[in-house]
Amino acid sequence: MISVRSNPSPPALPQEDAWITSYQKLLPHWHSLSLSHQYSTLPISISRVNQFDAARLDIEMSAMLKEQLVKVFSLMKPGMLFQYEPELDAFLEFLIWRFSIWVDKPTPGNALMNLRYRDERAMEIRRKVRTGLEGPGLTVAQKMWYCIATVGGQYIWARLQSFSAFRRWGDSEQRPLARRAWGLMQRIEGLYKAASFGNLLIFLYTGRYRNLIERALRARLVYESPNMNRAVSFEYMNRQLVWNEFSEMLLLLLPLLNSSTVKSFLHPFSKDKSSSSTEDDSTCPICRASPTLPYLALPCQHRYCYYCLRTRCAAAPSFRCSRCSEPVVAMQRHGSVVEHRTQSQ
């Protein structure tokens, strides 16, 4: 039996205004999508190490300028420049601020680390970014407040601390007003250190605002050029680390070494063995001078200064003669009776 399959009905044609209706439905979504892309803030990450390095480089630059300025006044009255050390530090900080931040340029440390300050408040209003590094620099008000906080604030606090220490406000016999002022200063310093520690933890988590001044002014460090990489000479860093460790090892071992013991140990390996016999016995082998109060080391009978022989015997119980490397068991004044070391100690 043959079944006859009916032809399907042709699809219904859309209405003439269907495309207009679809366009009106999709238009709000298109606007919202374009606006979200246009005004989205790109997340950027500024290296925390670069920011810390920039602050350290600024400190080193200020120290270098201070060292050169101190050399200028080296021929003047000693101690005169020490009285005006806070003024000198404030003057150098003001110079760095005047020729960097005030003229919209990065500080020496920020320039080396490819960083600059950006007004983060303007970015919240603007919000239209391409790379995340755009944005205006600091305003005039932000620059002035930065100078007041970094230069003026540090100078006033340093002077106040030196004045309170000179007047001894913290002593119990001072007036109650002075003691209360000293206690207030200690509380302010404690609160500032606690706030700085909290800001440091936030900075390590978010990567924004190294210190409280930057956070209060909303001055954020961003890269000045997005294509500049951080150049580090690892060869120099390795060499510096090796020398630092070597110097620390020497500083640890040198106090433990006794020069007379080392000299007596190396004496048998000396090439010029006849030098000890040709030396003048009238001079002290330690200070190389003629003894004013001569003493003899027993039993070898070599002549020493009393101070030289006494200090060496007190420092090293097993002191050996510097001429013949024989152990010194007693000391005798030249032309008198024997003075044993145990009795002299």
Side-chain angles (χ1 to χ4, degrees):
M1 184 174 179
I2 300 174
S3 62
V4 180
R5 187 176 180 180
S6 60
N7 294 329
S9 59
L13 297 176
Q15 299 180 0
E16 295 181 358
D17 58 346
W19 66 274
I20 300 177
T21 306
S22 301
Y23 172 76
Q24 292 177 352
K25 290 180 180 180
L26 295 176
L27 186 59
H29 298 283
W30 172 258
H31 281 299
S32 62
L33 184 62
S34 61
L35 288 175
S36 63
H37 284 286
Q38 184 178 4
Y39 295 105
S40 61
T41 303
L42 297 179
I44 58 173
S45 177
I46 309 299
S47 175
R48 297 162 179 80
V49 177
N50 282 17
Q51 299 184 56
F52 277 129
D53 288 346
R56 187 63 187 175
L57 288 172
D58 288 335
I59 295 174
E60 294 294 335
M61 178 62 67
S62 179
M64 290 174 59
L65 293 176
K66 183 178 179 181
E67 182 181 359
Q68 297 300 323
L69 194 59
V70 168
K71 289 181 179 179
V72 175
F73 297 95
S74 60
L75 300 178
M76 300 183 65
K77 182 179 178 181
M80 186 189 69
L81 197 61
F82 178 76
Q83 301 176 359
Y84 304 99
E85 188 174 2
E87 286 79 8
L88 179 61
D89 294 337
F91 175 70
L92 294 177
E93 293 293 337
F94 176 78
L95 284 181
I96 295 176
W97 170 85
R98 172 62 181 81
F99 294 102
S100 59
I101 296 178
W102 178 250
V103 293
D104 292 327
K105 291 183 179 180
T107 61
N110 292 342
L112 291 174
M113 292 292 107
N114 186 31
L115 297 173
R116 69 176 182 90
Y117 277 117
R118 183 180 73 181
D119 186 6
E120 201 69 11
R121 300 176 302 176
M123 293 302 299
E124 294 178 357
I125 300 175
R126 185 178 179 182
R127 295 183 64 87
K128 185 177 181 180
V129 295
R130 293 178 58 189
T131 63
L133 302 178
E134 298 89 349
L138 302 182
T139 61
V140 177
Q142 285 177 315
K143 297 174 184 177
M144 294 299 298
W145 280 113
Y146 187 92
C147 178
I148 293 172
T150 56
V151 181
Q154 293 180 4
Y155 168 71
I156 293 174
W157 185 253
R159 270 302 177 191
L160 187 59
Q161 282 187 328
S162 62
F163 181 78
S164 61
F166 178 75
R167 295 290 183 177
R168 295 189 296 182
W169 286 359
D171 293 348
S172 59
E173 60 270 9
Q174 291 291 335
R175 294 177 297 177
L177 182 60
R179 291 200 303 269
R180 284 197 296 267
W182 177 260
L184 180 62
M185 288 178 56
Q186 296 299 316
R187 293 189 187 94
I188 293 175
E189 186 176 5
L191 290 175
Y192 179 78
K193 290 181 178 180
S196 299
F197 179 72
N199 181 81
L200 175 62
L201 297 179
I202 298 175
F203 169 76
L204 294 177
Y205 180 75
T206 61
R208 298 185 179 186
Y209 312 121
R210 297 173 301 180
N211 49 51
L212 295 175
I213 299 174
E214 294 179 359
R215 185 170 297 276
L217 298 178
R218 302 297 299 278
R220 185 185 180 187
L221 284 173
V222 296
Y223 290 123
E224 187 174 10
S225 174
N227 300 321
M228 183 175 178
N229 297 324
R230 184 187 181 217
V232 179
S233 177
F234 292 101
E235 181 181 358
Y236 172 77
M237 293 176 63
N238 293 336
R239 186 164 60 249
Q240 190 72 15
L241 289 174
V242 169
W243 280 110
N244 286 341
E245 294 298 329
F246 184 70
S247 61
E248 290 181 1
M249 183 185 68
L250 288 180
L251 291 176
L252 178 64
L253 294 179
L254 283 178
L256 304 178
L257 297 178
N258 191 342
S259 59
S260 60
T261 305
V262 175
K263 187 175 180 180
S264 61
F265 176 77
L266 298 177
H267 182 73
F269 304 98
S270 178
K271 295 182 180 180
D272 190 8
K273 296 183 178 180
S274 61
S275 60
S276 60
S277 60
T278 59
E279 288 181 352
D280 188 6
D281 292 339
S282 62
T283 60
C284 175
I286 297 177
C287 64
R288 305 297 180 183
S290 180
T292 56
L293 186 61
Y295 264 70
L296 301 178
L298 299 180
C300 61
Q301 298 288 328
H302 286 130
R303 185 181 300 182
Y304 287 83
C305 296
Y306 171 74
Y307 177 77
C308 297
L309 184 61
R310 184 70 178 85
T311 52
R312 292 304 175 92
C313 291
S318 59
F319 173 68
R320 294 176 177 268
C321 179
S322 301
R323 295 189 186 276
C324 60
S325 300
E326 188 174 352
V328 178
V329 297
M331 51 190 296
Q332 176 186 0
R333 187 172 181 176
H334 188 63
S336 63
V337 297
V338 178
E339 179 182 355
H340 291 280
R341 290 170 54 186
T342 56
Q343 295 176 357
S344 63
Q345 295 176 1

